[in-house]
Amino acid sequence: MPDARLLTEAVTRLRRALRASIRTDYPWETLPMAQVELLQVLAEHSPARIGDLATRQRLAASTVSGLVGQMINAGLVARAVDSADRRASVVTLTEAGKEQLAAWNRAHENRLDAAWEALDDTDRAAVRAALPALFRLAEHLEDPGT
């Protein structure tokens, strides 16, 4: 389907452009995208078990465990005993993790604001009008049963 291909290309280009521009405009930002995505999930669903994070991110638990280990070493997240099951552990954002995520979000918003201003009114209106449908599309991708 041409629409699916074009949408895939547009999303891929947007993600690539954002990643590249943030490294150019904000060279201090070195957090890998996989860690940023885990911080985003933890900001919405914290505390969380490794298995739950892996399921949400559609990654292997061992991959998430490795990322979490790196993030613990960086002070972005902490591991604690799960109060519901003392045999298990959960991961939470630290203050440093919250601050890093907030800085990352601000940097991206600043970059997008600049690009947004470069669009004409017609393009801005078209993007704004498409946002609700894009969120619904993401929901369908996250839960294929819907």
Side-chain angles (χ1 to χ4, degrees), residues 31-53:
L31 202 59
M33 198 62 207
Q35 290 184 17
V36 171
E37 289 173 353
L38 277 177
L39 290 175
Q40 291 169 330
V41 169
L42 283 168
E44 293 179 26
H45 307 282
S46 185
R49 291 182 179 189
I50 296 286
D52 294 336
L53 291 170

Side-chain angles (χ1 to χ4, degrees), residues 85-106:
D85 180 354
R86 311 281 297 154
R87 298 167 297 170
S89 64
V90 292
V91 180
T92 58
L93 278 177
T94 62
E95 281 306 310
K98 290 175 187 174
E99 290 170 11
Q100 182 75 29
L101 182 59
W104 187 91
N105 285 334
R106 278 192 308 275

Side-chain angles (χ1 to χ4, degrees), residues 51-65:
D52 294 336
L53 291 170
T55 299
R56 285 185 188 283
Q57 294 300 102
R58 293 187 174 112
L59 296 170
S62 60
T63 300
V64 172
S65 183

Side-chain angles (χ1 to χ4, degrees), residues 59-132:
L59 296 170
S62 60
T63 300
V64 172
S65 183
L67 288 168
V68 166
Q70 294 167 6
M71 295 166 73
I72 288 171
N73 290 338
L76 301 174
V77 299
R79 194 183 315 252
V81 173
D82 186 346
S83 60
D85 180 354
R86 311 281 297 154
R87 298 167 297 170
S89 64
V90 292
V91 180
T92 58
L93 278 177
T94 62
E95 281 306 310
K98 290 175 187 174
E99 290 170 11
Q100 182 75 29
L101 182 59
W104 187 91
N105 285 334
R106 278 192 308 275
H108 272 74
E109 288 167 8
N110 289 341
R111 187 65 181 116
L112 277 169
D113 281 344
W116 182 262
E117 291 304 316
L119 296 176
D120 64 28
D121 290 342
T122 302
D123 283 344
R124 282 195 295 269
V127 172
R128 193 177 293 115
L131 289 173

